[in-house]
Amino acid sequence: MIYRRLTILTVLCCAFSLTCAQVQQEDGKRTCITNEMVEKFLASHPELAGEIKALEESAEVEYQGDRATKIFPMVFHIMHTYSSSDYISNDQVSSAVKVLNDDFQNLSGDTSLVVAAFKNIIGNPNWEFRLARKDPNGNCTNGITRWFYPLTEEASESVKEFAPTWPRNKYINVWVVKGIEGGAGGYTYNPSTAQFTPNYDGIVVVNTQFGTTGTSYNSLFSKRTLSHEVGHFFNLRHTWGNTNTPGLSSNCNSDDNVNDTPNTIGVANQSCNTLQVTCNSLDNVQNIMDYSSCPLMFTVGQATRMINAANSGTAQRNNLSTANNLIATGTQNGYTDTICVPLSDFIATPQTICAGGTVSLMDMSWRGTPTSWTYTLTSGNNTLSASGPNPNVTIPNPGIYDITLLTSNSAGQNSKTKANYLAVFPASAMYNSSNYFDDFESNPIQGGLWFTMKDDPVNGWQESSAASVSGSKSVFVRNGNIMKYSKQSIVSPSYDLSQTSNPYLKFKYAFAKKADDNNDFLRIYISTNCGTTWSLIPPGISASATSGPTAPNTSGNFVPNSSQWKQFSVKIPTSYQNSTNVRFRFELTNGGGNHFYIDDLNIGDQFASQKEILENEYSFSCYPNPANDILQLKLDHVFGYFKWQILDASGRMVDGNYVMASGTVNETIALHSFNSGLYFLRIILPDGLVHVEKILVAH
């Protein structure tokens, strides 16, 4: 066989079904990220290349050690946003462990479907995987931890920093996420690289390819993604070699260094053609280390290779199944399971309601299963209580409420308090004049006029005395200190718009990127029921738009000077113009940029010119002016048909066009046939806004 160097990082692509593959292709996503990850690692640690190569070569020599049954302790870190799509159940974790045990003890009934040519080489490592019952400090655990992680849809190696690795010589760590950056379904380090990355050693897997219940797609491919990754964790390659690119004829020149797996190019389309012949022999397409839709088996040779890795000191794999470690992790035979004290956690939905409204509380406690629940809601002298795991609570009095959940079981009790967590607003508007102005000089956040959602209480929306337009204060988000993709929200006081005939929302803002590819976004929402439901008011402020940032890229903490502020205005939709209790929510999504400031908020009748609105809402520009042979027209955030017209000095239309747009418009208007002189460019937007711009044509 032809051997080639082991891949430093192995990744199983997200390819659980044809549907997934099609969606990813349509979205322009890549199904594999191995090459990028490997190159990144090598670029960062070129000094380790020689040592890694030596470890890879030593792994090819069979270790003459213990071949007895092995038990491996595991811990699963569930990375979530309190959503049903990522807060997966304990039952789903247990189902994933069962699949592992079936695959690594040859207990799965579907191995009967293996074709005759490979039945006699079905491998059985005879391994058992158990959820840890003691944490690294010897405390009670059920082998499952839960972490609020805003990046769970685009997880990367940062997941292992957010939920730190339990000692890799004692536990197999698995981080379960909603999605992986780049579109993969799972990945892990093989032992030769993990030797040098103890704090990153473990498996990352998406929850749709995990277990057999809950969010899992539960196809053969999906439920065995974890088995595939455990194979990599114990030094298996893909059946075609050490890349993530099956289906290439050149794969016949590579190998997985296992004697009884036929040389193959691999399955590239998630099919299950058990008659597939490549590299001059029948392919073992049903191998768990291939990408077929019917993974069913390991071979005897693969089992031996994994056993070698488990008996090797490389990356401390050989300590995992020792008798002392099983005792330390509570996974030894005969261990008496204990009931853990629960760790209290909960969510409230929604977080803003009107007085007299109802909030739904949901228990999200973990580690131990509670048998009793007591919620306490407190705002000043107002106190309410509720029992049961998921009560609905009607709250008559306005205020900003702390919520505490006390849970208990036979092992003990635990409580968790979320301060300033629920806003109960008056049912009538706080302000009813035709125009409203707020320069944030009256301590509005701590004073209760504004309500900050507790996404990040340290770096989220807060007052600033470092920069302002009017007075000495503004509000800002320490956006440069916040995890990418996280959202920070602040809710305004309430306004009666019934006395305002043509209301607009207008404010000054300041923002700087850190790098050109930052894509931060400020979205504005409106509510007439105290925030129980919200509607988006487009277009918002996008860092990717030319008009978005107000200052040059800034690597350090951005503090704007007096010239680094812009004005933004947006027309409040007609359907809200007679509403008597309106609130706005400003939601900043981090895209890698720097701090974001707001000052001088105005709500009232139209006070901006049509051109000002066009420039602020649509980033309008037309150039050059004076023009020679062409006029370039550019707008952002256009969705639908808009019309442009060229009028001569007498008002007669001499050119024009309808344009269907979705996002950015770049329209080139030819002026070759125009006589020199004064013309007018008329823009008609989908929302009815009309603007006329003078254009001088000078050939």
Side-chain angles (χ1 to χ4, degrees), residues 354-511:
C354 289
T358 299
V359 62
S360 296
L361 303 173
M362 180 177 290
D363 175 50
M364 307 289 272
S365 302
W366 54 282
R367 188 178 67 179
T369 303
T371 56
S372 120
W373 302 259
T374 301
Y375 291 90
T376 304
L377 298 81
T378 305
S379 176
N381 295 324
N382 299 316
T383 300
L384 299 94
S385 62
S387 59
N390 306 313
N392 294 322
V393 183
T394 300
I395 305 178
N397 299 312
I400 306 300
Y401 284 76
D402 300 342
I403 302 181
T404 298
L405 171 60
L406 173 68
T407 60
S408 65
N409 60 18
S410 60
Q413 64 181 26
N414 179 260
S415 67
K416 181 169 185 174
T417 298
K418 296 187 178 182
N420 301 322
Y421 183 60
L422 172 68
V424 181
F425 296 126
S428 57
M430 301 171 67
Y431 299 101
N432 56 12
S433 62
S434 59
N435 286 285
Y436 171 79
F437 175 78
D438 194 340
D439 59 3
F440 303 104
E441 297 302 308
S442 302
N443 209 23
I445 295 180
Q446 284 78 4
L449 300 181
W450 290 75
F451 175 65
T452 55
M453 313 287 273
K454 296 302 176 183
D455 303 296
D456 187 329
V458 176
N459 297 304
W461 288 100
Q462 55 199 280
E463 293 165 12
S464 170
S465 299
S468 64
V469 177
S470 298
S472 60
K473 294 181 181 178
S474 62
V475 293
F476 84 122
V477 175
R478 286 192 175 94
N479 193 47
N481 301 352
I482 291 174
M483 185 176 293
K484 193 174 183 181
Y485 304 120
S486 62
K487 295 178 172 61
Q488 311 300 322
S489 294
I490 185 171
V491 178
S492 75
S494 54
Y495 314 101
D496 182 351
L497 300 182
S498 62
Q499 301 181 47
T500 308
S501 59
N502 192 21
Y504 274 75
L505 171 67
K506 181 178 179 180
F507 56 86
K508 302 287 179 61
Y509 76 96
F511 167 70

